[in-house]
Structure formats: structure tokens, C-alpha cells
């Protein structure tokens, strides 16, 4: 019988990667909560128009990467390629703006893009991200960038480079677009086929083409920073000032334009040189016009998303420690006593492992060693008769007899 395999571009998250995955979730949730963000979960599929209008028709994502299909009711549905448009839709639809001045959300989950799979690039991948709605201050931009950097630091990832830029508001972007076209039109013939097309649809995207000849011909293009208005330039300067104040090292990269159309003003990416072509670990920026585009509201916003698969590739192995305590019971008669005790300890919030089959001391110790626990509780018939247990502390290298109350008190400490 032919074994059915996972679909191309998708991967099981199992064993070591599963331990890393849940570790990332835990760290991200703790960090974002500490910064005052609350969890949001939006549906995995949406009306196709949400992404067309939100991300932009001329982007690679919308043009050629979306998983779009007609459902049984003939509606055009798309598996979400990213989280921002959905969070904005949920914010508008649920009128969250009427309840609070500023909303800070974090989310985690699968995204879908029909890309050519390679290391660090999948068709179903996972993101952890945040979106802040209702705040225009450049200090927010710097704070979110700093928080994203702290996230990677907390996960033990080093050798990162924070790249920042400003793509300005529509007016400045139009001005820059023209300056760029004037520069690139004469060398058009030397650009790749994709970039020739981009010159018509989205010339800024030529700046981050990875093809060597395109890179060469964009080396000395005019800088977008020169097209910014005074207000936009001040915003950008303030972001830089606060990044410095927060102790975040950064590099200004005037060619950073991002692949989604909703950005205005600050954009940023954190990159590494350890992942080959897929070196962007996370990215985001300000999208002050998206709420107008989707819901006719003047609400400024900023956010970022990180690729969990890329983070996992950069992380060292984390020792999985599901349990702290192992209960070893000796002889059939002690089984119920041991099960009851385990139940009590778990209700006290302790992480306890126990086996269901009777075994000898030697194999119990082997199991405790494999689980890498700090404590083993030993229950024999003598101990049970006296309503006590023996607690073996592997770190302190001690062994003592304790009543159940003493045991709980000690373990909870
Ligand atoms: P993005 O740059 O398209 O931004 O994606 C963010 C991150 O998701 C990337 O830096 C990368 O780590 C990861 N990623 C993207 N595509 C793939 C893939 N095919 N396989 C594996 N990982 C991938 C956004 O999605 C924006 N929504 C970010 C944002 C939030 N901007 C404002 N708020």
C-alpha cells in the first residue's frame, strides 16, 4: 500500500522541532503579555477580497502565491497568506476602536503561500506577530522593533542585524517612484524578467530583487529618504533616536521596501546571514493607510511578524523538560497509593510522571534518568504502611523520608 505523505511545502512539527515550537510560543506569549498585548485569533481563511485589497493586487503574494478556491457556496475563499489584514478586519468588524484608544494584539499560527519550497521557505508556515492599532507616535515604532529584537534575544538567537527604512506616505512614494523610474528605464534591458514587469506595476520592488544583475543595476539608485517630506523625515529620525535609547543596534537600509503594499513610513526587518537566501527572520512596519482602505477609518497602525520555522532553524536544541518529578512504586499493592499521590501533586501544579506498570527499582531509576527529573519519589509497602514516602533529590544528592504534607511543602518550594 502506498504511504500517503505530507503535501509538498508542508512539514510535521514533531520531536525536537515540537519542543522548540512550544518553547517559542511560551516565550513569545510571556514577552508580549509583559508589554501589554492581548491574544487574538482570527480564522485561517477569509474572503479573497480582503487580501487583494489589503496586501495589494500587484504584490507577489496576491499575484501568484495565494491558495484561493471556490467553496461549495461559490464564494472565493483564500487561506490567509499573512495575519495583518485579518487582524484589521476583525478590529473593524468588531468595532474595537469604539472600546479603546489603542489596541495591542499578538497572534500565532499557520500562514499559506504557494512558493517554491526550500530550507526556511514552506507553503504552510507559522508566524508569531503583533499588531498595534490607534497609535501614531514614532516611539511606538521603536518600541515594537525593540520588542521583536528582545524576542529573538530571549530565544537565544544572536548575530542579527536590524535593518530600518522609511517608505514615506503615498505622495512621497509617488515622487520616489518617478525618480526611480527615471533612473531604471535606461537600464531596463539588463533587469530580470520579473523586474521588467515590476517597473510597470511596482518599481520599488526592483530594489530588493535577489538577482545579481538587478542588484548591480540598483546599487546607486536614488535614496527614498531624499523623497520624504519634513514630517516623515522627523518621524524617521525619532524612530532612530528611540532605537538608540532602547539600546537596539540598527542599520539604515534605504533599499528595504518590503513585499506587501500596505506599508507607509517606517519599515524594518531583522536578518541573519545564517539562513542562506531566506535570511529574513522577521519583518514589519507602519501601515497607517490600511484601515482607511479596508474600513474607511483614519487609524494609524504598526506591527511585525516572525517566521517560526526560520527561528527554529536558528535555535540550539532545547532540553525538553516535561516533568520535574518521577514517582517510582514498588509492588502491585502500592499502585493505588502512588496513583492517588500523583493526582494530589498534579492538582498542586507540580509536573509529575508515573508509569502504569509495576517494575523493579533498577528500571525505575533508568526511567527517572531518561526523563532527566530533579526528584524521584519512592513508594514501597513499608512507606505506604506508615503513610510516608522517600524523596530522592538528584541535585542535592539527598534522600529523606517525608509525610505527604512535608513532601508537598518541599516540592512546591
Ligand atoms: P512578511 O515579511 O511577508 O510579513 O512575513 C514575515 C515573516 O514570515 C518573514 O520574515 C519570514 O520569516 C516568514 N515567512 C514568510 N514567508 C514564509 C515562507 N514561505 N516560509 C517560511 N517563512 C516565511 C508579513 O507577513 C506581515 N504581515 C508582517 C507585518 C505585521 N507587518 C505589519 N504587521
Amino acid at each position: 500500500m502506498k504511504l500517503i505523505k505530507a503535501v509538498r511545502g508542508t512539514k510535521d512539527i514533531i520531536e525536537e522541532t515540537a519542543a522548540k515550537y512550544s518553547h517559542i510560543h511560551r516565550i513569545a506569549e510571556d514577552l508580549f503579555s509583559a508589554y501589554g498585548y492581548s491574544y487574538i485569533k482570527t480564522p485561517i481563511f477569509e474572503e479573497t477580497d480582503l487580501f487583494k485589497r489589503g496586501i495589494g493586487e500587484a504584490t507577489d503574494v496576491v499575484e501568484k502565491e495565494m491558495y484561493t478556491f471556490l467553496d461549495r457556496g461559490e464564494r472565493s475563499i483564500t487561506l490567509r497568506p499573512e495575519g495583518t489584514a485579518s487582524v484589521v478586519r476583525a478590529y473593524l468588524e468588531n468595532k474595537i476602536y469604539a472600546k479603546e484608544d489603542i489596541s495591542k494584539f499578538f497572534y500565532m499560527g499557520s500562514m499559506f503561500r504557494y512558493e517554491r519550497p526550500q530550507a526556511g521557505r514552506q507553503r504552510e508556515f507559522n508566524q508569531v506577530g503583533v499588531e498595534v492599532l490607534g497609535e501614531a507616535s514614532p516611539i511606538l515604532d521603536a518600541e515594537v522593533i525593540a520588542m521583536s529584537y528582545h524576542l529573538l534575544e530571549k530565544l537565544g538567537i544572536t548575530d542579527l542585524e536590524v535593518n530600518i527604512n522609511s517608505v514615506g506616505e503615498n505622495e512621497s512614494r509617488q515622487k520616489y517612484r518617478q525618480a526611480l523610474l527615471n533612473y531604471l528605464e535606461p537600464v531596463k534591458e539588463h533587469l530580470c524578467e520579473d523586474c521588467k514587469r515590476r517597473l510597470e506595476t511596482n518599481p520599488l520592488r526592483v530594489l530588493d530583487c535577489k538577482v545579481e544583475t538587478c542588484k548591480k543595476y540598483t546599487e546607486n539608485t536614488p535614496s527614498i529618504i531624499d523623497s520624504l517630506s519634513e514630517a516623515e523625515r522627523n518621524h524617521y529620525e525619532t524612530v532612530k533616536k528611540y532605537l538608540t535609547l532602547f539600546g537596539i543596534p540598527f542599520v539604515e537600509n534605504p533599499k528595504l521596501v518590503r513585499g506587501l503594499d500596505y506599508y507607509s513610513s517606517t519599515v524594518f526587518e531583522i536578518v541573519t546571514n545564517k539562513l542562506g537566501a531566506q535570511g529574513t527572520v522577521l519583518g514589519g512596519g507602519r501601515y497607517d493607510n490600511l484601515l482607511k482602505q479596508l474600513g474607511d477609518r483614519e487609524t494609524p497602525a504598526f506591527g511585525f511578524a516572525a517566521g517560526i520555522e526560520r527561528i527554529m532553524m536558528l535555535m540550539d536544541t532545547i532540553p525538553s523538560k516535561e516533568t520535574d518529578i518521577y514517582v517510582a512504586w514498588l509492588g502491585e499493592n502500592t499502585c493505588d497509593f502512588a496513583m492517588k499521590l500523583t493526582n494530589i501533586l498534579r492538582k498542586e501544579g507540580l509536573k509529575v510522571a508515573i508509569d502504569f506498570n509495576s517494575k523493579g527499582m533498577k528500571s525505575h531509576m533508568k526511567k527517572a534518568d531518561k526523563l532527566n527529573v530533579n526528584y524521584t519519589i519512592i513508594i514501597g509497602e513499608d512507606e505506604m504502611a506508615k503513610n510516608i514516602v522517600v524523596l530522592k533529590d538528584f541535585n542535592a544528592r539527598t534522600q529523606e523520608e517525608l509525610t505527604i504534607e512535608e513532601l508537598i511543602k518541599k516540592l512546591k518550594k
Side-chain angles (χ1 to χ4, degrees), residues 44 49 57 62 84 109 172 184 268 270 277 292 312 343 377 394:
I44 275 182
D49 274 350
E57 302 249 15
V62 171
T84 311
S172 327
L184 291 174
F268 81 104
I270 300 189
K292 178 128 198 79
M312 292 198 292
N343 192 37
I377 297 168
F394 289 101

Side-chain angles (χ1 to χ4, degrees), residues 87-141:
V87 171
V88 169
R89 182 206 43 73
Y91 175 84
L92 293 167
E93 187 173 339
N94 296 290
K95 299 191 173 56
I96 296 175
Y97 49 81
K99 299 169 200 161
E100 52 195 26
D101 293 338
I102 171 166
S103 302
K104 298 160 80 172
F105 299 114
F106 73 92
Y107 54 88
M108 305 172 182
S110 299
M111 308 291 157
F112 306 85
R113 296 185 193 176
Y114 194 81
E115 295 192 83
R116 203 162 48 77
Q118 50 182 265
R121 192 162 77 191
Q122 295 177 196
R123 290 181 175 171
E124 186 202 19
F125 60 99
N126 289 274
Q127 281 186 346
V128 32
V130 310
E131 310 296 345
V132 183
L133 303 126
E135 179 58 70
S137 167
I139 305 178
L140 171 75
D141 306 15

Side-chain angles (χ1 to χ4, degrees), residues 10-291:
T10 70
K11 267 193 186 157
D12 297 311
I13 294 180
I14 50 168
E15 300 169 332
E16 193 191 310
T17 49
K20 285 183 179 176
Y21 187 86
S22 58
H23 181 69
I24 295 168
H25 267 217
R26 255 197 311 271
I27 297 286
E29 186 165 357
D30 284 354
L31 182 76
F32 298 154
S33 304
Y35 273 80
Y37 286 71
S38 34
Y39 182 60
I40 187 167
K41 185 178 181 310
T42 59
I44 275 182
F45 54 82
E46 301 268 4
E47 246 180 63
T48 302
D49 274 350
L50 174 68
F51 303 117
K52 281 194 180 166
R53 263 164 63 188
I55 298 173
E57 302 249 15
T59 57
D60 283 354
V61 171
V62 171
E63 254 184 8
K64 47 189 186 193
E65 294 171 2
M66 294 209 300
Y67 277 89
T68 298
F69 57 95
L70 285 184
D71 72 4
R72 288 170 193 270
E74 301 282 303
R75 298 172 204 92
S76 181
I77 298 292
T78 294
L79 301 186
R80 63 179 183 198
E82 58 106 49
T84 311
S86 300
V87 171
V88 169
R89 182 206 43 73
Y91 175 84
L92 293 167
E93 187 173 339
N94 296 290
K95 299 191 173 56
I96 296 175
Y97 49 81
K99 299 169 200 161
E100 52 195 26
D101 293 338
I102 171 166
S103 302
K104 298 160 80 172
F105 299 114
F106 73 92
Y107 54 88
M108 305 172 182
S110 299
M111 308 291 157
F112 306 85
R113 296 185 193 176
Y114 194 81
E115 295 192 83
R116 203 162 48 77
Q118 50 182 265
R121 192 162 77 191
Q122 295 177 196
R123 290 181 175 171
E124 186 202 19
F125 60 99
N126 289 274
Q127 281 186 346
V128 32
V130 310
E131 310 296 345
V132 183
L133 303 126
E135 179 58 70
S137 167
I139 305 178
L140 171 75
D141 306 15
E143 189 192 73
V144 175
I145 297 171
M147 182 174 77
S148 74
Y149 189 78
H150 288 154
L151 173 68
L152 299 177
E153 265 186 342
K154 272 184 167 287
L155 292 167
I157 300 170
T158 51
D159 290 335
L160 297 165
E161 192 178 276
V162 180
N163 280 215
I164 63 162
N165 191 22
S166 171
V167 294
E169 293 296 335
N170 279 344
E171 206 176 307
S172 327
R173 223 164 27 251
Q174 285 309 323
K175 208 164 95 189
Y176 180 64
R177 186 188 152 108
Q178 197 49 55
L180 194 61
L181 279 176
N182 294 346
Y183 182 93
L184 291 174
E185 276 296 344
V187 296
K188 184 175 173 179
E189 281 321 301
H190 303 284
L191 303 178
C192 74
E193 289 310 309
D194 269 346
C195 282
K196 280 184 189 140
R197 198 171 38 81
R198 284 177 186 137
L199 279 189
E200 312 292 325
T201 55
N202 199 353
L204 267 67
R205 290 295 294 163
V206 177
L207 294 179
D208 70 353
C209 180
K210 303 286 182 289
V211 175
E212 282 308 320
T213 44
C214 295
K215 275 195 199 165
K216 191 174 133 215
Y217 282 98
T218 53
E219 227 165 57
N220 298 312
T221 48
S223 165
I224 194 162
I225 301 294
D226 295 333
S227 301
L228 298 182
S229 68
E230 199 186 330
E232 289 161 3
R233 210 176 294 212
N234 287 340
H235 185 104
Y236 184 55
E237 289 303 321
T238 313
V239 174
K240 290 194 286 180
K241 176 180 149 194
Y242 280 89
L243 280 175
T244 307
L245 192 130
F246 295 146
I248 304 298
F250 63 89
V251 176
E252 290 181 67
N253 177 358
K255 292 210 170 65
L256 177 65
V257 288
R258 308 271 304 134
L260 313 163
D261 270 359
Y262 48 62
Y263 294 108
S264 55
S265 180
T266 317
V267 289
F268 81 104
E269 282 183 358
I270 300 189
V271 298
T272 170
N273 56 17
K274 292 182 183 159
L275 292 180
Q278 312 308 319
T280 309
V281 187
L282 61 82
R286 190 160 269 289
Y287 49 96
D288 291 348
N289 299 318
L290 184 57
L291 282 98

